[in-house]
């Protein structure tokens, strides 16, 4: 995660948007980061993340006790926050 991002502000934003528990949010974001860190770069040095694969990966972690809808809502809220801050976006 970028140094530009205030982690507590991000967690608070996601919790407000999703009503998810902060511990679950931290866990989902931790596994998301691990997934991204292990993703392969293409010839341009970019990493393409398939959101379905990401959600499946997070749900497959033994310490994640949640469901697909909650995990997706956490990830969507995170992306909304990052886009609002101008540090992330979607590629079509």
């Amino acid at each position: 995660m970028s140094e530009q991002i205030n982690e507590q502000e991000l967690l608070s934003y996601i919790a407000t948007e999703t009503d998810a528990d902060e511990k679950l949010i931290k866990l989902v974001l931790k596994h998301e980061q691990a997934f991204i860190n292990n993703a392969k770069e293409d010839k341009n040095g970019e990493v393409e993340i398939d959101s379905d694969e990401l959600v499946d990966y997070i749900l497959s972690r033994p310490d994640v006790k949640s469901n697909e809808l909650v995990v997706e809502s956490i990830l969507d809220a995170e992306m909304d926050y990052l886009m609002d801050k101008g540090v992330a976006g979607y590629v079509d």
Side-chain angles (χ1 to χ4, degrees):
M1 218 174 285
S2 171
E3 287 73 40
Q4 300 172 336
I5 302 303
N6 178 321
E7 183 181 357
Q8 194 54 50
E9 183 179 89
L10 171 63
L11 293 172
S12 183
Y13 177 87
I14 294 171
T16 300
E17 293 294 311
T18 65
D19 292 326
D21 178 69
E22 191 171 303
K23 287 181 182 179
L24 176 62
I25 295 168
K26 286 181 179 181
L27 197 56
V28 167
L29 297 181
K30 178 185 90 165
H31 289 306
E32 174 195 31
Q33 194 61 52
F35 182 87
I36 291 169
N37 289 343
N38 290 323
K40 302 292 182 226
E41 293 181 355
D42 65 14
K43 64 181 181 199
N44 299 321
E46 297 177 357
V47 175
E48 188 172 317
I49 303 296
D50 180 283
S51 61
D52 291 333
E53 289 177 11
L54 174 58
V55 170
D56 290 345
Y57 172 82
I58 293 168
L59 290 172
S60 74
R61 304 298 89 195
D63 56 346
V64 175
K65 307 290 185 230
S66 189
N67 62 56
E68 186 174 349
L69 187 59
V70 173
V71 170
E72 284 179 350
S73 67
I74 290 170
L75 296 173
D76 288 345
E78 178 198 25
M79 186 56 115
D80 290 345
Y81 176 87
L82 295 174
M83 287 174 33
D84 287 348
K85 294 294 183 183
V87 296
Y90 289 102
V91 176
D92 293 326

